[in-house]
Amino acid sequence: MTTITNHMPTAELQALDAAHHMHPFSTNASLAEDGVRVITRAKGAYLFDSEGEKILDAMAGLWCVNIGYGREELPEVAARQMRELPYYNTFFKTTHVPGIALAAKLAELAPGDLNHVFFAGGGSEANDTNLRMVRTYWAEKGQPDKNIIISRENAYHGSTLGASSLGGMSGMHAQGGVVPNIHHIGQPNWWAEGSNMSPEEFGLARARELEEAILELGEDRVAAFIAEPVQGAGGVIVAPDTYWPEIQRICDKYEILLIADEVICGFGRTGNWFGSQTVGITPHIMTIAKGLSSGYAPIGGSIVCDEVAEVISKAEFNHGYTYSGHPVAAAVALENLRILEEENILDHVRDVAAPHLKKKWEALADHPLVGEARIVGMMASIALTPDKANRAKFASEPGTIGYICREHCFANNLIMRHVGDRMIISPPLVMTPADIDEMFVRIHKSLDEAHAEIIEKGLMKAAS
Ligand code: PXG
């Protein structure tokens, strides 16, 4: 492999970055002070930085590099497609072969009658599509007032104004406002919010908030419910077992469209092609992105069921992106799906990687800093706590302890993220047991060091 090594010294790159590059979800002034890490290349589950450090990427980039870094087939396909047809649109009575082939392949992989694909550049755009699509669906059926979408607090559905309005991140709502007619119910986060209910009771109670909201808002006003099968960016929140069957019952009873946001859960992350299959739901629309191309090219979309697609097909749908179904991104995604399928990577997840990870992950609950340890397939979280018997929160500002822990991970060349005081991972699906063992060496070291620092600073204190 040829490697670009003749880049500028790290300090110069950092200075240029600080001067000109605005980073997402960051306080850019303090980033500029601290200096960013410059990632220069990657292979398998490992990143390399401009200082030559080798870093274990337990987040698969941003939950997306499912097949791992450095697969030669994808750049080859991309180069071939760029030479043949680098770009054309699908707007005006035209189409192209990669777009056709990818839509057909997704219809084959998706469960039930999810047979139609509307492409987007990523997950946020796809959720904006969904917002317009479900409202258009009910308007076409003569119910234009059936336009409220119910979502959940602490959900993440993307960063555009539409997608972030669907999401339940209050910090995002505060910057730039929200799209009207979106209503939020509570999230099924038993550890943080279950008070003295059992997980099963709490799962039912949180699902029934959907029914209560529908009854309060009016059945004739609610168009759809959107949710991630497992909340990702919210902290890998795994709902209690009672939750999803009740959600499905309520959507069926009140004829509410169910949108499963599969941007993280899709393409093997939970051990099935889609998280909906893992949690046992039948959505009308699935949002896809990330693992669709393993992050090698930006592409997302909505996979839509026969009924919704048929109704939409009768109207002119005034919606689309320049890069909807971009031929290079579509060709790369197809090649990624071929690798996932032909190399039986889902079997590897189910039979090898996820069971190995699960055994070790659940044992983390014995660590003095760790409360619950949750895992589904290859996405997992731990809740840090000063007092696990009482599921206590820390007295410090939320996120303080998680940040300390993350800094130790970073120093130990491990990318493990924090969301508040939860630590999360979502590693490449192709991790071997040896990679996983190496990851746990770094996790244990980081947790132990974080624990020592937290004690030393007098922060091992519960909120009153
Ligand atoms: N839905 C879900 C469930 C996501 O996780 C999106 C939609 C938006 O996709 P795009 O491709 O537009 O980014 C996402 C993206 C984090 C983090 O901090 C997570 C995402 C994006 C950025 C940061 O964990 N998920």
Side-chain angles (χ1 to χ4, degrees):
M1 188 178 71
T2 51
T3 308
I4 302 167
T5 51
N6 59 338
H7 56 70
M8 296 172 193
T10 302
E12 280 179 47
L13 290 167
Q14 287 173 327
L16 283 174
D17 189 85
H20 303 295
H21 188 183
M22 298 171 81
H23 288 256
F25 283 94
S26 303
T27 309
N28 278 270
S30 60
L31 258 198
E33 241 169 67
D34 295 349
V36 289
R37 246 195 202 203
V38 183
I39 306 300
T40 51
R41 64 193 176 90
K43 183 81 189 161
Y46 288 90
L47 305 165
F48 297 84
D49 74 6
S50 55
E51 295 293 283
E53 295 287 345
K54 184 178 176 189
I55 306 154
L56 182 48
D57 184 8
M59 284 305 299
L62 209 44
W63 320 78
C64 54
V65 189
N66 289 9
I67 62 168
Y69 297 98
R71 292 293 303 237
E72 286 296 323
E73 299 89 332
L74 281 75
E76 273 163 24
V77 161
R80 216 181 309 141
Q81 184 60 46
M82 270 199 196
R83 287 194 188 98
E84 198 165 296
L85 180 70
Y87 177 75
Y88 202 69
N89 70 73
T90 54
F91 279 50
F92 307 111
K93 276 191 156 182
T94 56
T95 189
H96 48 66
V97 177
I100 298 167
L102 182 59
K105 184 69 199 171
L106 288 168
E108 180 198 315
L109 292 176
D113 68 350
L114 290 159
N115 288 321
H116 313 269
V117 186
F118 195 104
F119 287 113
S124 305
E125 286 182 5
N127 277 326
D128 270 40
T129 301
N130 296 339
L131 184 54
R132 179 166 279 141
M133 191 179 296
V134 297
R135 287 179 174 172
T136 305
Y137 170 82
W138 289 113
E140 284 302 308
K141 283 173 75 89
Q143 291 178 265
D145 293 335
K146 203 166 157 64
N147 58 18
I148 298 177
I149 298 163
I150 299 178
S151 178
R152 306 183 296 181
E153 290 159 7
N154 198 35
Y156 190 79
H157 296 301
S159 202
T160 56
L161 205 49
S164 63
S165 303
L166 289 172
M169 302 286 178
S170 52
M172 298 181 82
H173 296 167
Q175 290 180 328
V178 289
V179 168
N181 288 345
I182 295 172
H183 180 88
H184 292 86
I185 59 173
Q187 58 170 333
N189 182 349
W190 175 78
W191 174 266
E193 299 177 8
S195 62
N196 46 17
M197 280 186 249
S198 70
E200 293 71 27
E201 288 166 348
F202 179 70
L204 274 183
R206 280 291 150 103
R208 285 184 186 150
E209 285 187 18
L210 176 60
E211 188 159 36
E212 286 153 24
I214 294 167
L215 293 173
E216 188 190 309
L217 297 162
E219 201 178 329
D220 53 348
R221 291 297 321 277
V222 180
F225 175 63
I226 183 168
E228 303 149 82
V230 178
Q231 281 158 268
V236 186
I237 309 297
V238 185
D241 290 344
T242 47
Y243 182 77
W244 283 109
E246 186 66 2
I247 290 285
Q248 182 74 60
R249 180 191 72 75
I250 295 163
C251 289
D252 291 348
K253 177 168 177 192
Y254 299 99
E255 294 188 31
I256 305 300
L257 296 177
L258 176 56
I259 307 169
D261 186 335
E262 296 272 2
V263 167
I264 285 175
C265 293
F267 306 101
R269 175 67 47 206
T270 69
N272 289 300
W273 278 103
F274 298 99
S276 296
Q277 295 161 318
T278 302
V279 302
I281 52 171
T282 309
H284 298 89
I285 299 176
M286 295 196 308
T287 321
I288 55 170
K290 294 193 191 272
L292 168 59
S293 66
S294 282
Y296 281 66
I299 185 165
S302 308
I303 315 186
V304 182
C305 72
D306 288 344
E307 151 74 8
V308 173
E310 195 194 324
V311 170
I312 295 292
S313 73
K314 292 187 183 130
E316 180 175 0
F317 190 43
N318 297 317
H319 184 80
Y321 308 107
T322 301
Y323 298 134
S324 284
H326 189 286
V328 177
V332 168
L334 260 178
E335 183 64 7
N336 171 61
L337 297 180
R338 185 193 67 72
I339 288 173
L340 280 171
E341 210 169 21
E342 287 183 10
E343 297 184 6
N344 300 313
I345 291 174
L346 272 64
D347 290 342
H348 169 76
V349 168
R350 276 194 296 259
D351 302 338
V352 181
H356 192 75
L357 181 64
K358 184 178 163 75
K359 210 166 96 215
K360 295 195 153 218
W361 191 263
E362 287 179 343
L364 290 176
D366 297 333
H367 191 280
L369 195 54
V370 176
E372 70 164 1
R374 299 304 306 265
I375 176 161
V376 177
M378 297 293 278
M379 58 196 295
S381 58
I382 45 179
L384 306 181
T385 178
D387 172 7
K388 58 178 101 189
N390 292 305
R391 305 210 311 273
K393 296 181 177 66
F394 288 95
S396 48
E397 184 73 18
T400 308
I401 304 299
Y403 183 76
I404 290 173
C405 190
R406 194 208 70 148
E407 288 297 278
H408 283 284
C409 296
F410 224 48
N412 288 321
N413 281 343
L414 169 69
I415 307 273
M416 171 158 87
R417 290 253 316 276
H418 80 110
V419 176
D421 293 324
R422 286 181 91 84
M423 303 305 298
I424 59 172
I425 60 162
S426 168
L429 307 186
V430 293
M431 289 257 271
T432 62
D435 290 329
I436 292 170
D437 292 345
E438 174 57 33
M439 179 169 76
F440 273 89
V441 171
R442 299 181 195 201
I443 290 175
H444 282 288
K445 184 163 187 282
S446 305
L447 278 176
D448 289 346
E449 289 171 1
H451 187 216
E453 181 178 337
I454 290 157
I455 291 172
E456 194 191 307
K457 290 189 166 156
L459 292 171
M460 199 69 186
K461 269 201 278 223
S464 47

